[in-house]
Structures are given as C-alpha cells and as structure tokens.
Amino acid sequence: MKFTKKRFGWIADQEITEYQLTTTQGAVFKCLNYGAIVSGIEVPDKNGNCENVVLGFDTLEEYIEDSPYFGALVGRVAGRIKNGTWETYKLTQNEGPHHIHGGRANFSQIIWDTEVNEAADFIDIIFTHKSPAGDNGYPGNLTVKVVYRWTEKAVWTMDIRAETDATTLFNPTNHTYFNLSGSAKRTILNHKLQIASAVYAEVGADKCPTGRLIPVDGTPYDFRNSIFISEALAKQPTGYDTPFKLTTGNVLLNEPESGRQVAIRTTREAVVVFSTTGMDEEYIVMGKKMCSHLGIALETQELPDAVHHPHFQSIVLKPGEQYFSQTTYHFSA
Ligand code: G6D
C-alpha cells in the first residue's frame, strides 16, 4: 500500500489536504479533510483499466460553492427532519421549513482533524470533530470519529463512532454518488441495482416520510432482484429519492458494460437511494455538465425523520452510550 498527500486548497489560513491511498494493484481511494469528502475511487474494470467511479470536483472552490454533498460525510442527522423540530428543540431550517443533512456548516462543510494509520494491507484515514452543543440547534457536545479504511482488496470501510454529554440525535451518512462506468463516461441508466429491502418509506411532496412503510412487492420500488436502473425508471419516471428499510444490510450496484460492481454491506437500518433524476446543473463534473442520472447516491443510515415516527429506529444518542456503525463498500470486476 502507498500513501501520499497533496494540498487541495486553503480555507482562510487552514490547508485542505487530499489523501491518496493506493493498493499494490493500483486501486486508489482519495479523500479530503474538508467534509471528510471521498474525492475519488479508481478501480479496475473487467479489462484492468482503473478509472474513477465516484462523482467529484477538481477544485476545493467547487466543493464549497456548488456541491450536492458529493462524497461528503453528512450529519449530525442525514435527510430531512420535518419542520426542523424535535421535542422542544428548533433545528436549522435549511430546506423551506425543514431541516436537511444537519443544517448549515454541517459535517460536510467543516475541516476535520485527521490522522493516518498505515498498515501492511490497509491504510486508515481517521477523522475527528467536536460539534458543540447548540450546533444547528442540536443539544449535547458531540464527539465524532470517522475512519475510512482502504484495503489491498479494494474495500472501503467506513466506521463511525460518537459520544455526547447530553441527549441528542445522531444519524450520519456518507453521500457518495457512484457511477461505475469510469470517469462518468456513461450514465447510471445501464447500471443494475439490487437492494435487500421488502419495504420502503413513503415520502410526501416535501420529501419527508409520511410514516407509511409500504411493501415493495408489485411496485417500482422492488429491487429485491437485481434490475437495470433504466427499467426501474420506466416505471418510476420521477426517479428515486427514497428510503428503503433493509432486511440484510446488502446493496449491490453493478455495470455489466465495464464489469465493475460495488457490494455494500451495512449495519444501518436503511439506505436512501437518490437517483439524481432531473438534476440539470451548471456545474461541471469530470468534464461534463451535471445532468440527470450522472450518478446514484446510496446513503446508508437510519430511516429519515425518525423523531416523528416512533416505529422507525430511534436515532437518539444518550450520554454514556457509544455510537458505532459500519458500512463496507467492496469493489470488484
Ligand atoms: C439527499 O434526499 C436528498 C435529496 O433530496 C437531495 O436533493 C440530495 O441529498 C442533495 O439525498
């Protein structure tokens, strides 16, 4: 394994660093201390060509100005909290009346403290952050530790740990958008998706869960058998911005043309699938204007807006508890 780092930019007088972890076979994982952003994953296709399979920008300025959370660690709480309310707390309302992705200057927009741990067959980048009580309205001084491990076998493991000194909420995710074609040369329409999920959480027009968990059977939300995303979208033309409750924690994305796949395994309750349908933005990603279906975000987390739906898994974190979750992404061709 090889570890290098380079300056990616500055925020005031603080240097932003890009870490690059490379296996002996040449598979690369890149991340930034800004937002704990995964800025690149280069893995071989069936012919051995290593190319980038996640959406990202070339410059720090673009991540700061325009990013739809490309590769970022999102929190304290991913997804929407309706009306930004929890008990007596008022959380930042940053999407109309709702709270989304932890509010402003959330985990995806801060500079994390980082350490590197090198071993023979893996390298860890260890990110830590102390979020003060009152951050975006959340109570509790929260200490968060996120470890990205890249192994010789091209497995990215994300471990998240947290502790608080007062009862608070915690439901982070990583917001990487995958495109396995390599350098986003094709869209995700020819990718196949499989999700071990028998029910999805219905969302309203405001994208907040209604509380109804609906069986996927006979609906466009049935990904229990691997299906082409184009086929799924033919039944669901408005796309997916959908929480799926997981049965076994397994999600599989593959692109037959390149032969690449990513097998995701998580301890989390759910995955939110965001298909980027209709995204038509001015910004340039890997040399292309951001367009519909250029990537797919697979956000492992607990079901969103759990604070308003007691039958969803609780995201309350109490003093004395040690939060731990793990998601692994295994790349192969
Ligand atoms: C999340 O669910 C949300 C989307 O609605 C949002 O637009 C995106 O992040 C940027 O996945």
Side-chain angles (χ1 to χ4, degrees):
M1 297 283 298
K2 197 173 94 185
F3 163 74
T4 55
K5 58 180 190 175
K6 69 168 194 196
R7 184 187 305 141
F8 197 70
W10 293 93
I11 295 181
D13 59 353
Q14 278 187 282
E15 187 172 318
I16 303 305
T17 304
E18 183 172 61
Y19 300 91
Q20 178 166 328
L21 321 180
T22 309
T23 68
T24 44
Q25 304 295 321
V28 172
F29 181 90
K30 295 181 191 173
C31 58
L32 307 176
N33 57 345
Y34 175 73
I37 287 171
V38 175
S39 48
I41 299 181
E42 295 163 23
V43 288
D45 66 5
K46 59 188 174 193
N47 301 314
N49 299 320
C50 268
E51 289 170 303
N52 188 13
V53 296
V54 298
L55 301 189
F57 291 120
D58 294 336
T59 67
L60 178 62
E61 288 66 35
E62 292 164 288
Y63 279 111
I64 293 173
E65 282 157 28
D66 278 332
S67 182
Y69 302 89
F70 280 155
L73 204 282
V74 168
R76 295 184 185 191
V77 175
R80 293 166 181 85
I81 296 182
K82 199 173 174 85
N83 297 322
T85 58
W86 169 50
E87 296 183 339
T88 56
Y89 298 101
K90 290 255 167 276
L91 309 172
T92 305
Q93 293 165 303
N94 58 327
E95 191 185 67
H98 310 302
H99 176 80
I100 185 168
H101 289 336
R104 297 200 182 89
N106 70 69
F107 292 178
S108 63
Q109 293 145 343
I110 53 146
I111 304 171
W112 292 71
D113 291 328
T114 49
E115 273 174 65
V116 183
N117 173 31
E118 288 184 73
D121 54 0
F122 66 82
I123 301 174
D124 289 343
I125 305 294
I126 303 158
F127 300 89
T128 47
H129 175 61
K130 285 187 195 310
S131 164
D135 183 355
N136 279 288
Y138 291 101
N141 291 294
L142 183 79
T143 305
V144 188
K145 180 173 171 178
V146 178
V147 180
Y148 293 164
R149 172 170 293 183
W150 184 238
T151 76
E152 265 298 286
K153 296 203 157 97
V155 178
W156 163 32
T157 299
M158 174 173 66
D159 286 356
I160 305 178
R161 291 181 171 79
E163 284 176 14
T164 180
D165 64 1
T167 300
T168 191
L169 301 178
F170 194 56
N171 184 13
T173 192
N174 178 282
H175 211 294
T176 290
Y177 294 72
F178 296 94
N179 179 327
L180 300 176
S181 68
S183 311
K185 66 169 92 59
R186 295 179 285 275
T187 67
I188 50 123
L189 292 175
N190 71 340
H191 287 42
K192 292 180 87 177
L193 181 62
Q194 185 173 18
I195 309 174
S197 169
V199 289
Y200 71 97
E202 180 188 63
V203 297
D206 59 4
K207 297 190 174 182
C208 294
T210 61
R212 288 179 69 207
L213 293 174
I214 300 180
V216 297
D217 207 11
T219 75
Y221 299 89
D222 192 351
F223 288 93
R224 288 172 298 177
N225 295 312
S226 177
I227 103 159
F228 277 106
I229 292 178
S230 55
E231 232 177 280
L233 283 166
K235 295 180 269 172
Q236 180 62 25
T238 52
Y240 297 88
D241 193 351
T242 309
F244 291 84
K245 187 173 168 158
L246 295 170
T247 46
T248 64
N250 289 310
V251 178
L252 184 70
L253 181 72
N254 73 301
E255 199 221 15
E257 200 163 337
S258 64
R260 292 191 183 95
Q261 70 165 33
V262 55
I264 302 176
R265 197 173 170 79
T266 187
T267 61
R268 311 296 294 273
E269 179 189 25
V271 63
V272 172
V273 174
F274 177 51
S275 61
T276 70
T277 307
M279 269 181 98
D280 180 20
E281 311 290 341
E282 287 311 311
Y283 51 76
I284 304 293
V285 187
M286 298 188 210
K288 291 178 191 64
K289 196 172 160 303
M290 179 70 199
C291 64
S292 195
H293 306 134
L294 198 61
I296 183 167
L298 301 168
E299 310 157 44
T300 59
Q301 57 184 256
E302 274 56 68
L303 286 169
D305 204 22
V307 294
H308 296 121
H309 305 291
H311 55 298
F312 292 3
Q313 189 174 305
S314 169
I315 60 161
V316 173
L317 183 67
K318 297 190 173 138
E321 292 177 351
Q322 311 276 329
Y323 174 92
F324 175 75
S325 68
Q326 183 175 73
T327 301
T328 60
Y329 308 78
H330 187 163
F331 295 89
S332 59

